[in-house]
Amino acid sequence: MSDKVSGQVKVRIEDATKVFDVYRVETRAAVEGGRRLFGRAPREQREVLRTQIYALNKVCLSVHRGEVVLIIGPSGSGKSTLLRCINRLETLTSGDIWIDAINVSERGTDIRKVREEVGMVFQSFNLFPHLDALGNVALAPMVVKGMDRRQAHERARALLGRVGLADKVNTFPGQLSGGQQQRVAIARALAMDPHVMLFDEPTSALDPEMIKEVLDAMLALAREGMTMLVVSHEMGFARAAANRVIFMDEGEIVEQGPVSKMFNHPDQERTRRFLKHIL
């Protein structure tokens, strides 16, 4: 896929910062007059200490309409937090995230509008076990958008066919393979007609033989022009579909660039060290 992307900015992230408060309890023996109390069981003093962790630290990023951006980095680098802030599953401590004219991070923004703009697929499938594939895909349009049952089911059938599951419409999650369940999850996200799709390591919970079918469904979306931010270390997908690779570490974007440059000639030593482990 060409590294050149035309079109205007679809997602704009400005100085996005997310701070988590982490608390720990420190216990130590009580002292008297500067000395530990020996000869009897010492009393204990407990103190609650707060540490602040910057999951995101002034992240700035623009994603163009129809662009596929792959986000890589070590565990705890802020990749998933970034996606969750775009979808308002987490609230920024400071900074702004815009999707077109919607300021996602603004307190008064209608969360339903955000969820209609942005679809998200997680590591775990999170399907409703008591609903078949059709019911899982049709539920959100009926509940959130007020779509009538017939129309929602018609659209759900079309979407399940789109991800290669036309023959699994009436099958329940427990009867589907992991790859099939994840494709139902993709269809469910598409049911809201999102303009941006977020994928948070969608193949990490799958057996190797099931990964390809999920990546094929994602690749088809990319070819259709869907704007996508993908947290994944699937390098085959990156080479086939991504326009750009972003490397994150310690809540910051360390480096970004076209796929070929990032994989073959990254500028930063931290990026090179990380890529040695996954390429």
Side-chain angles (χ1 to χ4, degrees), residues 12 15 42 49 51-52 55 57 73 79 104 166 168 175 179 194 208 212-213 217 221 246 259 263 277:
R12 187 170 80 254
D15 292 327
L49 303 177
T51 303
Q52 290 191 317
N57 190 5
K79 309 182 300 295
V104 173
K168 301 295 184 182
Q175 301 168 308
K212 184 179 183 300
E213 59 193 53
L221 285 177
I246 290 174
V259 177
F263 287 173
H277 295 288

Side-chain angles (χ1 to χ4, degrees), residues 20-26 47-53:
F20 288 104
D21 290 330
V22 178
Y23 296 89
R24 76 176 191 275
V25 177
E26 186 174 282
E47 184 178 1
V48 178
L49 303 177
R50 186 184 75 170
T51 303
Q52 290 191 317
I53 296 177

